[in-house]
Amino acid sequence: MTARIRFGLLSFAHFHANFWADAINGSDKAELVGIWDDDVTRGQAAASKYGTQFVPDLAALLDQCDAVGITSETAKHVALVEAAAARGVNILLEKPMARNLAECRRIVEIVRQSGVTFMQNFPKRYDPINHELIRLVRDGVLGEISLVRVRHGNAHLMELGAAAAANWFGQREQAGGGALLDEGIHAADLLLWLLGEPEKVSAFVSNATLGLSLEDTALAIFSYPSGALAEIATGGTLLAAEGSIEVFGTHGVAVLSGVDMASRFFARPPYLKIFRRNMGRNEWEGIDLTPNFQHGHFHHGGPLHFIEVLRGEAQPVLSLEDGWKPVAMIEAAYRASETGQAQPVTFSLDPDGK
């Protein structure tokens, strides 16, 4: 497929749809052919803003598209994936893949049966500074990894306060979970990329700060076959921060800053720095890279990469498996929080966990 990709956006419920529309409009390899939304007023406003048509009939828009981006409420992901796949339309899906593993299983079945090109969106995968962090680990620069700490969050819930409960992401039925699923899923994806599959998890969630029905703050600790431990700290109540990711190894340490909203406006260069064991105790070695977050393009990478994939110019960096495995980690963390006991993390779509 070498012609311009006819791209549609399904729902502006998720704010990231605005970044996707910007990215598509800014590409000479694609065109935004239309927007569908079950909220007509919201959809019409988005279409006017981004200079395209609002199509109230979902099937009618799908018939005009080579690809769609799904940025709806998480509860509607399965139905919209099914509608697009039934018409042979390729799919870019906003995170998380679904509210739970049962819904992930259905999405995987739909995509495999249809044969459409599918890509799960996790924007950390498109940022060169994250690739450099991964290289440091995989090339053994830091030695054997003993501990990873990932904080990924923002102050969005804090800014909304009680009003968050009226939004879809403040409702369990629509979102599937609170900060752990919404923001912590980014960290889960990074940990899978960095360390592979964990074995067990212990976790705590809290809604004490804002009193919502969903958690506004969460902490999960994963253990790995190597003996390494990894922590996800997340929340919608993080007013300011600096270091986002810390990786501790036997030969050195890497610290990455400015790669989430909590730290975006507070981190300063060098954003990625490493300490090597043979360096002085007060020395850091800075890496000359700037996170996409600092450029304001963090959420643009997904649609731009997907367009290149559909044109045969790139291989997808994320797959169906990359979509559901982070959900498996978060679902296990919720079980650990509910039971007060460490839980196994089972990477299987089999209903029996086999």
Side-chain angles (χ1 to χ4, degrees), residues 87-156:
R87 282 176 163 75
V89 178
N90 303 300
I91 300 163
L92 176 66
L93 183 61
E94 178 58 294
K95 60 77 189 172
M97 175 178 270
R99 293 177 295 182
N100 50 56
L101 274 181
E103 291 183 350
C104 289
R105 185 182 310 116
R106 180 61 186 140
I107 287 174
V108 170
E109 290 171 350
I110 291 167
V111 171
R112 287 178 175 167
Q113 289 170 7
S114 70
V116 300
T117 300
F118 172 93
M119 200 174 80
Q120 182 64 50
N121 185 60
F122 280 118
K124 286 186 180 293
R125 298 288 186 122
Y126 317 118
D127 194 332
I129 203 165
N130 291 326
H131 283 265
E132 178 62 14
L133 178 65
I134 298 296
R135 186 195 68 78
L136 291 171
V137 171
R138 292 186 177 172
D139 287 357
V141 174
L142 305 180
E144 294 296 319
I145 304 304
S146 58
L147 176 67
V148 178
R149 302 175 68 196
V150 184
R151 190 215 61 259
H152 192 98
N154 55 43
H156 188 44

Side-chain angles (χ1 to χ4, degrees), residues 175-195:
L180 184 57
L181 181 61
D182 183 42
E183 288 293 309
I185 198 83
H186 288 288
D189 169 62
L190 181 76
L191 289 177
L192 281 163
W193 189 18
L194 189 71
L195 297 177

Side-chain angles (χ1 to χ4, degrees), residues 48-97:
S48 176
K49 180 177 179 180
Y50 293 105
T52 189
Q53 62 175 334
F54 172 70
V55 183
D57 183 86
L58 177 58
L61 177 59
L62 290 172
D63 288 341
Q64 300 175 48
C65 295
D66 301 310
V68 290
I70 297 175
T71 43
S72 67
E73 300 90 338
T74 309
K76 298 173 183 176
H77 282 188
V78 174
L80 291 175
V81 166
E82 188 166 28
R87 282 176 163 75
V89 178
N90 303 300
I91 300 163
L92 176 66
L93 183 61
E94 178 58 294
K95 60 77 189 172
M97 175 178 270

Side-chain angles (χ1 to χ4, degrees), residues 245-270:
I245 302 167
E246 298 175 334
V247 182
F248 297 86
T250 54
H251 295 166
V253 176
V255 177
L256 176 55
S257 303
V259 292
D260 70 336
M261 281 302 298
S263 62
R264 178 183 176 187
F265 300 107
F266 298 92
R268 298 291 181 269

